[in-house]
Amino acid sequence: MAAGLARASVRHRRGTFLAAFLAVFLGAAVLMSFAALLDTAGGPHVTAADHDTLTIMASVVGGWGVLVVASAVATTLAVAARQRAGELALLRSLGATPAQTVRLVVGETALVGLAGVLLALPAGYGGGWTLLHLLQDTGQIGDGVGFRFGASALAVGAGGSLLAALAASFGTARRAARRRAAEAHRQAAAGGRRTSRFRLAAGVLLVAAGAGCAVVTATAVDGSKIESQSVAGEGAVLSALGFALLAPVLLRAVSAALAPLLGALGAPGRLGVLAVRQRLQRAASAVMPVVLCTAISTGTLSMQAVWNSAHPHLSADDKGTATLNYVVVGMLAVFSAVMLVNLVVAETTARRGEFAQLRLAGATQRQVLRQVAAETALTLATGLLFGTVAAAASAVPYSLAVTGEVLPGSAVGIHAAVVAGVAVLALTAALTAARRTGRTPATAALRTAVAV
């Protein structure tokens, strides 16, 4: 019975589950690409040097890639489950037990997750094959090494993404199933205002770990070796993940600081600030991909710019490492960008009922869009600010270790390009989704929101 209800629910809420599907699909594809290098390292005719290179590449880059992907997948699935808090409470009031409610949500996630993982297999295979050939083209791996895609790719990529999705949906559904209907409806509307102590502690520890990597990079890393980028890069990733966990607290602080500025823009600006404060947890969801995309892209590309400025004549190994840096940044930046659009569209579309109420109260479509723009501006300001701080935690210490200077001038242009790209992406996604909800008559949109 639970399996039948799960299938019916997935068909009924296609928009919500599409976001979950994309998260699992992209996460599995990225992780399988790097984990396949471990399978390749264990193949025949692989020398000890090639084995070490493949293992290090998969372990270092794929290691923090697991953290990035797992965080993004878990956040997306938690958002999807949180949007259904009222529906789950209604099931409880009709007689469903907490265990039955949790099984329903986990069953839905399993269906969507399995579909995402299966369809990600060709993409993961192609990504791993591309990484190997880039390593061979840059002379870091022998041409005789054959590509292998096996247990490691499936366990880390497919298994890791699916496990993150199931864990996120289980945790959120379990909390929702324990609430009464009235309380759950309030929580669904507000998205929750409290941040758990565990989340706060984990966020602080990750930021502290990132700061530790920055100190080690500036004081103990050999700046003459390009491999030192790995320690500095970990600083950016760990700090970014920490800031992502602390996003609700950071967003509250930024909203308070920018409230007078947005308030000067009129009613839409003031309503935007109030809306963010009322739905702090949900509004903070989009901060995570903004922080990650800004930190990883700016940090890695700036470190590469530091090395290039210190070594005008790059060796073959340097050029190979640079190529891989660009590929890795490209893969994770695209992943973060898609997750950003995914979360923004899912959250904005889920508010169709709220927007319909504003229009019925007299607000014009333009005023609603201006409010959405103000809310997105607060999210962007928070994500870009702390993403920049996380990037600086890697790029500045690395530059001091390599050149003795804070940063080369080219790093400013890199940062500006990343910030502009992320801002345009987030604003376009939010305004497009909000404009699309406005095409439906307010009364019809309100009925649809209540039915869903």
Side-chain angles (χ1 to χ4, degrees), residues 37-124:
L37 298 181
L38 293 175
D39 293 317
T40 303
H45 312 299
V46 178
T47 65
D50 289 344
H51 180 276
D52 291 342
T53 301
L54 289 167
T55 303
I56 291 172
M57 179 71 180
S59 301
V60 175
V61 180
W64 51 259
V66 168
L67 294 177
V68 171
V69 169
S71 299
V73 171
T75 298
T76 304
L77 268 294
V79 167
R82 192 163 56 223
Q83 289 176 350
R84 305 180 57 201
E87 176 188 338
L88 298 180
L90 182 60
L91 288 175
R92 289 290 319 283
S93 66
L94 293 175
T97 66
Q100 289 173 326
T101 304
V102 171
R103 283 201 300 270
L104 171 64
V105 176
V106 173
E108 296 165 353
T109 304
L111 288 174
V112 175
L114 284 173
V117 165
L118 290 175
L119 291 177
L121 288 173

Side-chain angles (χ1 to χ4, degrees), residues 82-316:
R82 192 163 56 223
Q83 289 176 350
R84 305 180 57 201
E87 176 188 338
L88 298 180
L90 182 60
L91 288 175
R92 289 290 319 283
S93 66
L94 293 175
T97 66
Q100 289 173 326
T101 304
V102 171
R103 283 201 300 270
L104 171 64
V105 176
V106 173
E108 296 165 353
T109 304
L111 288 174
V112 175
L114 284 173
V117 165
L118 290 175
L119 291 177
L121 288 173
Y125 186 96
W129 184 88
T130 301
L131 285 174
L132 174 62
H133 281 267
L134 281 172
L135 288 168
Q136 292 175 329
D137 291 343
T138 54
Q140 298 182 66
I141 296 294
D143 293 335
V145 176
F147 177 66
R148 299 187 66 173
F149 187 90
S152 296
L154 294 175
V156 176
S161 299
L162 189 57
L163 181 62
L166 292 174
S169 64
F170 175 81
T172 308
R174 187 180 180 187
R175 289 191 295 271
R178 292 177 175 176
R179 300 189 184 107
R180 294 185 177 181
E183 179 189 0
H185 279 292
R186 288 195 299 269
Q187 291 290 332
R193 301 182 191 176
R194 296 183 58 185
T195 304
S196 67
R197 294 180 180 178
F198 174 80
R199 180 171 178 172
L200 289 173
V204 171
L205 287 175
L206 285 170
V207 172
C213 290
V215 172
V216 170
T217 301
T219 59
V221 161
D222 185 355
S224 64
K225 296 182 178 179
I226 194 171
E227 292 81 2
S228 59
Q229 288 183 10
S230 61
V231 177
E234 289 176 10
V237 175
L238 293 174
S239 299
L241 290 172
F243 288 138
L245 289 176
L246 298 173
V249 177
L250 303 178
L251 181 58
R252 182 187 293 114
V254 172
S255 299
L258 295 183
L261 176 61
L262 291 177
L265 300 178
R270 292 191 295 272
L271 287 174
V273 174
L274 289 174
V276 168
R277 289 175 177 173
Q278 288 295 318
R279 43 186 294 278
L280 194 62
Q281 296 291 338
R282 289 175 62 173
S285 299
V287 173
M288 181 270 294
V290 174
V291 170
L292 290 175
C293 189
T294 304
I296 294 173
S297 301
T298 303
T300 306
L301 295 178
S302 295
M303 287 191 294
Q304 189 60 52
V306 167
W307 186 264
N308 292 346
S309 65
H311 302 82
H313 301 290
L314 299 179
S315 66

